[in-house]
Amino acid sequence: MQLLKYLQAQGLGSRKQCQALIDDDAVRINDTLCNHAQMDIDPKAVSSLYIDDVSLIPVPLPYFYILLNKPADYETSHKPQFYPSVFSLLPEPLRHLDMQAVGRLDADTTGVLILTNDGQFNHRCTSPKHKLPKIYRVSLKHAADEKLCIILKNGVLLHDDNETVTAQAAELIDPHTLQLTITSGKYHQVKRMIAAAGNRVTALHRSAFGLWQTDDLPAGGWRFFQPESGLM
């Protein structure tokens, strides 16, 4: 890949802006000054990238996968209405790259969220036929017992829907905390399932998406990952 195209793929600006960086001797890759737009860059061999002596995290190419520990009060949208976008949690210039969230989390829901520019991967993760498990920790308004778990595993009919939805697994951690595993991804599904079973959700955290977890990340933290080990 030519240097000019590589810098554009890193989200560093337009062709003209990236050319200016090159002309200004502002680009160093793997501790080597890179000042020729046509020089060949192997993205997989890039271990360090500096622009004007500022270290940037090289974005894997052609596809990248980001694991984000979403905090509350962020919208899973490029055009948020009421809260900041989850994409604003990423550093410059990464936040400006073309990417989508794999599924959505409500503004008040926290936990595992995947961002990527790989449309096929996104489809595999969200397609109902793949039944990728998602595990949630659900805080309940009313104290519950094993009856709630049985109802959820047997299936509930969601309001304004004509299809019964079942939980793959449901286990009470304590009377007000439920661990719930689902394999589909309907709109507000967990909240609607709990409501259909006669309770209410007061807080919701996605602790796992497939095999991916964010236990090693603080709220708002993120990291690149490779997806091979997470699809089930």
Side-chain angles (χ1 to χ4, degrees):
M1 174 180 281
Q2 293 181 349
L3 174 62
L4 183 58
K5 291 184 178 180
Y6 178 78
L7 297 180
Q8 287 182 271
Q10 294 294 310
L12 290 168
S14 66
R15 180 183 179 91
K16 183 177 181 180
Q17 290 170 322
C18 291
Q19 182 66 59
L21 293 174
I22 295 170
D23 293 341
D24 291 341
D25 290 342
V27 182
R28 281 193 297 123
I29 295 176
N30 297 345
D31 294 325
T32 298
L33 177 65
C34 299
N35 54 8
H36 298 288
Q38 307 304 316
M39 70 182 298
D40 187 56
I41 301 296
D42 179 2
K44 294 182 179 179
V46 175
S47 58
S48 66
L49 171 63
Y50 285 83
I51 303 295
D52 286 325
D53 294 324
V54 176
S55 177
L56 302 180
I57 300 174
V59 177
L61 298 175
Y63 300 115
F64 59 84
Y65 310 87
I66 294 172
L67 193 61
L68 173 71
N69 188 2
K70 179 189 174 296
D73 298 334
Y74 280 84
E75 292 185 29
T76 310
S77 172
H78 284 286
K79 297 180 180 179
Q81 294 181 314
F82 306 107
Y83 297 98
S85 167
V86 292
F87 298 99
S88 69
L89 294 166
L90 303 175
E92 297 277 1
L94 180 59
R95 66 180 66 172
H96 301 299
L97 293 176
D98 183 18
M99 71 182 93
Q100 298 296 324
V102 179
R104 301 174 67 88
L105 289 179
D106 296 341
D108 60 350
T109 302
T110 62
V112 181
L113 185 64
I114 295 172
L115 311 174
T116 184
N117 66 339
D118 186 342
Q120 290 187 353
F121 169 80
N122 195 333
H123 176 72
R124 290 199 306 272
C125 287
T126 55
S127 173
K129 70 178 183 180
H130 287 101
K131 298 185 181 299
L132 196 68
K134 296 167 281 288
I135 302 176
Y136 291 84
R137 186 174 69 244
V138 187
S139 297
L140 303 170
K141 180 176 181 179
H142 307 294
D145 56 24
E146 186 60 26
K147 181 181 177 181
L148 175 65
C149 298
I150 295 172
I151 292 173
L152 293 169
K153 287 185 287 188
N154 286 339
V156 292
L157 186 64
L158 302 183
H159 181 63
D160 294 333
D161 205 332
N162 58 3
E163 182 181 356
T164 298
V165 178
T166 60
Q168 184 184 73
E171 178 184 0
L172 280 174
I173 298 173
D174 61 54
H176 285 276
T177 308
L178 172 74
Q179 180 169 287
L180 183 71
T181 303
I182 60 175
T183 57
S184 51
K186 292 178 175 290
Y187 179 70
H188 291 321
Q189 180 172 333
V190 173
K191 295 176 181 177
R192 294 166 69 200
M193 288 180 71
I194 299 301
N199 211 311
R200 284 188 60 187
V201 174
T202 60
L204 187 60
H205 176 83
R206 184 157 68 190
S207 56
F209 189 111
L211 296 179
W212 299 297
Q213 301 181 22
T214 54
D215 295 345
D216 60 330
L217 295 172
W222 66 277
R223 60 177 169 83
F224 288 117
F225 73 98
Q226 289 302 312
E228 289 82 1
S229 63
L231 285 173
M232 301 180 67

